Amino acid sequence: MSSRLETEHLYKVFGRRPDAAVERLRQGADREELRADGTTAAVIDASFTVEPGQIFVVMGLSGSGKSTLLRMLNGLLEPTAGHVRFDGQDLTALTGRELREVRSRKISMVFQHFALFPHRSVRQNAAYGLEVQGVPRAERERRADEALALCGLAGWEKSWPDELSGGMQQRVGLARALATDADLLLMDESFSALDPLIRRDMQDQLLQLQKTLKKTIVFITHDLNEAMRLGDRIAVMRDGRIVQIGGAEEILLRPADDYVASFTQDVDRSRVLTAQAVMDREVRGDEADCGCETAREDTPFTELCAISARVPHPVAVRDARGALVGVVPRQRLVGFLGDEQATPVSCDAPRDKGGEKAVARA
Ligand SMILES: Nc1ncnc2c1ncn2[C@@H]1O[C@H](COP(=O)(O)OP(=O)(O)O)[C@@H](O)[C@H]1O
Ligand SMILES: [Mg+2]
């Protein structure tokens, strides 16, 4: 499968003399210096790869450049410098017409405030992208209905948008994106306007869909909890730059700087961490094989706590073949829920050995 997405040294500068600004950024100037000249460096030197079937999350505070980055991925904005490649094609080298063609067939976008056409049925709304592509009516209705069913809206095809709740309307937006069969799904704060329970529901639904659809997804959010639930990999943006790219555990346990660390304080660690991040890898032979319940490397933290409560000694962690790869002492579990031991970056005080060991090995 070739629907890999790649960006290479991508820049977007708004304002006067953007090329000169990129040159200055390459030489180490930052956003503030350029702002003094009335120039905004929205995205600075972004390079990353999203493999087919991956959910790549971009997170950062408002104004950090997330939406600008996303709009360059489907060619809605032309990069000031750098390249975007999708499915083996350099989007930055295409003519306007070729780009529109790629955008309508291969790329779908779901926005935060998804605008449905009020005088079209749910089915017609979901079929809109196909209509733009010129797909005949019978086929586009069939595909729209399939996408609606995938999004949990079977039976609502003939309803009007105002008969649907906010969460359901957002599902229609997702269905519209899925109906086109696009390989690349771009989602800009798609769930941010939803209330927390519905939002979680949509996150679950997306993860569930992704198991079978295996799209290449770039998902933007300013919420690290959401990023960690959804992202196979997460890029954290600050002032136009990507300051860290990594998996959820990596960002939680080894934030690249204080900015990233400040987000991780609000994260529910027990939902992110798994046994392999928490366990002690130095295992003595005599700790194996007592017949007690054990964990796997990917056992979620909460389940690990439950196992720990049931066995009289540290929990053994086994790999897929059953080999012992680590142990988790009970007191380690308590340490990982607090900030002190799991977020060592901004701590100047000497650390106790146990905490440091756990972090170094995670
Ligand atoms: N069309 C534009 N013209 C000028 N500045 C813009 C434009 N679009 C975005 N910006 C600026 O670029 C920066 C990044 O914006 P944006 O990509 O929307 O960030 P985010 O999505 O992370 O909130 C902000 O300072 C914003 O004001
Ligand atoms: Mg935005």
Side-chain angles (χ1 to χ4, degrees):
M1 211 161 138
S2 57
S3 46
R4 168 184 291 133
L5 174 71
E6 272 175 304
T7 71
E8 198 181 289
H9 302 298
L10 208 52
Y11 288 79
K12 184 67 190 181
V13 174
F14 294 107
R16 286 177 297 125
R17 307 219 305 133
D19 295 324
V22 167
E23 212 35 63
R24 287 180 61 194
L25 290 164
R26 284 189 179 128
Q27 271 147 32
D30 65 20
R31 217 184 200 186
E32 285 317 305
E33 287 175 63
L34 296 182
R35 188 156 278 158
D37 308 341
T39 307
T40 304
V43 174
I44 306 168
D45 198 17
S47 297
F48 57 84
T49 302
V50 188
E51 299 295 339
Q54 263 195 348
I55 302 183
F56 185 82
V57 175
V58 180
M59 77 135 318
L61 295 179
S62 167
S64 57
K66 306 180 298 295
S67 294
T68 304
L69 176 62
L70 200 73
R71 288 193 204 113
M72 286 193 284
L73 300 182
N74 70 355
L76 275 179
L77 273 179
E78 190 184 353
T80 311
H83 295 275
V84 178
R85 293 194 187 81
F86 181 63
D87 208 1
Q89 240 175 347
D90 187 343
L91 301 190
T92 32
L94 301 180
T95 64
R97 193 192 160 150
E98 290 166 331
L99 193 57
R100 279 193 295 280
E101 172 75 12
V102 170
R103 203 186 293 142
S104 90
R105 301 211 173 270
K106 294 187 181 172
I107 307 177
S108 273
M109 196 143 171
V110 187
F111 299 94
Q112 172 174 1
H113 294 288
F114 184 73
L116 295 173
F117 299 108
H119 303 300
R120 287 167 162 242
S121 67
V122 164
R123 171 186 288 144
Q124 288 171 329
N125 267 287
Y128 178 74
L130 298 170
E131 197 179 324
V132 171
Q133 284 180 15
V135 174
R137 186 189 188 108
E139 184 186 342
R140 69 178 188 245
E141 292 194 344
R142 179 182 59 75
R143 283 164 64 183
D145 286 0
E146 274 173 23
L148 286 166
L150 280 175
C151 296
L153 287 173
W156 293 88
E157 299 85 354
K158 291 181 184 157
S159 305
W160 301 103
D162 66 4
E163 296 174 273
L164 271 53
S165 69
M168 289 162 85
Q169 292 184 20
Q170 200 64 10
R171 279 168 205 259
V172 179
L174 189 55
R176 181 187 287 178
L178 295 178
T180 64
D181 268 345
D183 293 323
L184 177 60
L185 222 55
L186 304 177
M187 306 183 70
D188 193 351
E189 307 260 7
S190 300
F191 303 154
S192 298
L194 303 173
D195 73 51
L197 283 181
I198 294 170
R199 187 169 178 172
R200 277 196 77 100
D201 220 43
M202 288 296 286
Q203 292 165 353
D204 289 340
Q205 186 116 31
L206 182 66
L207 289 170
Q208 198 57 38
L209 283 169
Q210 176 66 349
K211 279 188 195 161
T212 49
L213 298 174
K214 297 194 172 33
K215 307 267 183 192
T216 306
I217 300 178
V218 180
F219 189 103
I220 285 185
T221 181
H222 58 261
D223 179 317
L224 189 57
N225 273 305
E226 181 166 77
M228 292 193 161
R229 284 200 77 200
L230 295 178
D232 294 305
R233 293 171 76 231
I234 299 163
V236 185
M237 284 189 87
R238 175 186 200 173
D239 296 340
R241 289 184 193 273
I242 295 177
V243 292
Q244 185 167 10
I245 297 183
E249 284 187 342
E250 197 177 336
I251 285 178
L252 191 57
L253 298 175
R254 290 189 298 275
D257 59 19
D258 287 351
Y259 173 78
V260 182
S262 69
F263 285 107
T264 65
Q265 275 159 20
D266 298 331
V267 166
D268 182 352
R269 283 154 201 279
S270 67
R271 287 191 188 282
V272 176
L273 296 171
T274 57
Q276 57 97 19
V278 183
M279 69 190 186
D280 199 331
R281 285 174 202 274
E282 265 165 41
V283 179
R284 294 197 311 275
D286 59 3
E287 273 172 311
D289 278 341
C290 59
C292 278
E293 197 177 351
T294 64
R296 300 172 316 275
E297 286 168 287
D298 62 352
T299 296
F301 190 87
T302 41
E303 201 180 319
L304 198 59
C305 291
I307 297 172
S308 180
R310 290 192 291 259
V311 302
H313 50 67
V315 178
V317 182
R318 298 182 181 283
D319 67 14
R321 283 168 294 137
L324 188 68
V325 290
V327 292
V328 184
R330 189 171 299 161
Q331 64 271 27
R332 177 72 48 76
L333 297 173
V334 180
F336 266 86
L337 281 181
D339 270 345
E340 315 80 46
Q341 295 189 34
T343 318
V345 169
S346 56
C347 178
D348 297 326
R351 274 170 239 132
D352 80 274
K353 269 229 165 106
E356 186 151 40
K357 250 176 20 188
V359 167
R361 288 198 187 107

